Amino acid sequence: MDFRSDTVTKPTDLMRQVMAEAIVGDDVYGDDPTVNDLEQWSAKRHGFEAALFTTSGTQANLLALMAHCERGDEYLCGQQAHNYKYEAGGAAVLGSIQPQPIENNPDGTLDLAKLQAAVKPDDSHFARTKLLSLENTINGKVLPLSYLAQARQFVDKNGLALHLDGARVYNAAVALEVDIKEIAQHFDSMTICLSKGLSAPIGSLLLGNHEFIAKARRLRKIVGGGMRQAGILAAAGKIALTEQIEQLKQDHQNAKSLAYALNDIDGFDVNTKYVQTNIVFAKVSPSIDLEHLANQLKADNIIISPSNPLRFVTHKDIDHSDIETLVTKLKAFTTAL
Ligand SMILES: *Cc1c(COP(=O)(O)O)cnc(C)c1O
């Protein structure tokens, strides 16, 4: 039982089957029918003109930032944004693009007045503000649809583009019980990770208009992301987007029941208001030695990352009985203190 992330999900039997049978070609020549199908189908499905299959979510975000911004431009984002905090500064390293982070509100949104104040005037002292990048879900929290509409108005008013790091955007759509297009419609570009809760082994998608995706395709080649018989992976990606969405509902229910159970254990405190999808953050009392806890759990084949707050991620390879087992072990650990 691996609670560290939904990236640990193994491909489904159906994925392995379609991977074995996938018709492939050299995708750098544009010759892989399975990649072409995934790109064309997913563009249409999400309401964009075009799509690009990438090696990872990090690569998809990097290509998006570099396709929207030139050297000396900047993008607005959250302090907690994955493409600011957790992608090794790629946009700055490889694109000479400056991030302008804004503190995230507790619900994950970015204050539009603060964003407005951060937009630079056209003046030779300043970087050129080109883009607002949002993330949904962010730390498991869902951005409200009304906020997305306001963010769209904000970028239109300021002549910026709007990007969504949608690594877990399907978790947001499932939680809101809306079609994915309800979210996607507000954005000029969007990424989707196929390899998290959706359980494909490898791969993400970048979506946008024809011109943007053509630019991103060239950039993908620059960073060594041109893959050859990638249809083997794309085949699993299509299953992720067709067969695995339903599973997310169960993951969300499991996260909720874990959150409530944790609140019944001494030393664990979860703000259940923010357990909206498949991620649970628990504040842990200093009386609990997290390294020791992680080692104890490991002996029972339960894997967690010892950090405070302690993050638990639910996914298809964790079922409800696994949640019960974890809770029982945690109770035993804390009562023994
Ligand atoms: C995981 C994640 C990414 C990066 O995806 P990788 O495929 O791990 O590179 C980007 N953004 C968010 C919000 C993520 O959770």
Side-chain angles (χ1 to χ4, degrees):
M1 289 171 228
D2 194 336
F3 287 92
R4 290 173 301 172
S5 179
D6 46 9
T7 56
V8 302
T9 43
K10 302 289 197 319
T12 64
D13 292 342
L14 181 58
M15 284 176 182
R16 288 184 182 274
Q17 189 191 324
V18 299
M19 290 173 79
E21 293 166 1
I23 301 168
V24 297
D26 188 332
D27 181 52
V28 178
Y29 286 108
D31 284 351
D32 191 306
T34 310
V35 172
N36 292 340
D37 172 63
L38 176 67
E39 291 182 345
Q40 283 156 23
W41 176 85
S42 65
K44 193 152 184 266
R45 171 69 191 95
H46 301 92
F48 291 89
E49 287 176 10
L52 183 69
F53 186 49
T54 66
T55 60
S56 66
T58 300
Q59 186 180 76
N61 273 328
L62 175 67
L63 304 183
L65 295 171
M66 289 178 70
H68 282 300
C69 302
E70 302 293 328
R71 186 172 184 214
D73 291 347
E74 72 170 9
Y75 67 106
L76 307 173
C77 61
Q79 281 285 355
Q80 304 303 322
H82 198 282
N83 62 27
Y84 170 58
K85 202 172 169 184
Y86 300 105
E87 296 181 7
V93 174
L94 298 169
S96 299
I97 302 160
Q98 162 172 291
Q100 168 60 72
I102 303 290
E103 201 59 60
N104 291 84
N105 291 325
D107 68 357
T109 60
L110 301 175
D111 187 291
L112 295 171
K114 285 186 192 156
L115 286 173
Q116 187 64 64
V119 175
K120 314 288 185 291
D122 182 5
D123 175 312
S124 63
H125 289 84
F126 302 125
R128 294 169 300 246
T129 313
K130 284 289 169 64
L131 174 73
L132 169 60
S133 177
L134 298 177
E135 186 173 316
N136 195 16
T137 62
I138 176 156
N139 292 327
K141 292 174 279 197
V142 179
L143 301 182
L145 291 177
S146 58
Y147 176 76
L148 302 185
Q150 288 165 13
R152 183 73 241 175
Q153 280 185 346
F154 166 82
V155 296
D156 286 344
K157 192 177 123 201
N158 289 283
L160 311 178
L162 186 59
H163 172 69
L164 183 66
D165 178 349
R168 295 191 181 89
V169 68
Y170 270 95
N171 293 86
V174 165
L176 291 169
E177 298 182 345
V178 298
D179 186 83
I180 193 74
K181 281 186 185 159
E182 294 286 311
I183 297 172
Q185 62 171 341
H186 298 288
F187 295 90
D188 298 298
S189 60
M190 179 170 100
T191 63
I192 305 170
C193 274
L194 305 173
S195 59
K196 292 195 167 163
L198 300 179
S199 303
I202 297 172
S204 281
L205 286 166
L206 176 61
L207 304 145
N209 69 24
H210 287 304
E211 195 190 343
F212 172 86
I213 292 297
K215 210 170 163 190
R217 194 176 291 279
R218 171 177 284 272
L219 290 162
R220 187 185 66 173
K221 194 78 183 85
I222 292 173
V223 297
M227 297 181 281
R228 302 294 177 174
Q229 285 75 40
I232 287 186
L233 300 172
K238 182 116 180 241
I239 300 300
L241 290 173
T242 50
E243 304 297 320
Q244 291 306 118
I245 313 290
E246 192 67 19
Q247 170 65 34
L248 302 180
K249 263 185 219 168
Q250 186 61 53
D251 300 344
H252 297 179
Q253 280 169 20
N254 286 344
K256 280 214 172 67
S257 58
L258 174 59
Y260 287 111
L262 286 170
N263 273 343
D264 285 338
I265 305 176
D266 277 346
F268 290 88
D269 180 23
V270 179
N271 184 347
T272 52
K273 182 176 146 191
Y274 291 135
V275 182
Q276 298 168 357
T277 57
N278 68 328
I279 304 182
V280 178
F281 284 98
K283 275 189 221 148
V284 183
S285 119
S287 62
I288 294 172
D289 178 344
L290 283 166
E291 294 286 344
H292 184 45
L293 172 64
N295 284 333
Q296 287 272 28
L297 291 174
K298 197 156 185 202
D300 292 313
N301 278 320
I302 300 174
I303 308 176
I304 61 164
S305 303
S307 63
N308 203 356
L310 190 51
R311 187 178 91 147
F312 299 90
V313 184
T314 58
H315 51 77
K316 84 152 181 28
D317 297 334
I318 298 279
D319 64 21
H320 194 76
S321 71
D322 295 330
I323 302 284
E324 286 168 357
T325 307
L326 170 69
V327 168
T328 308
K329 302 283 178 195
L330 290 174
K331 278 187 178 148
F333 183 87
T334 55
T335 3
L337 288 179

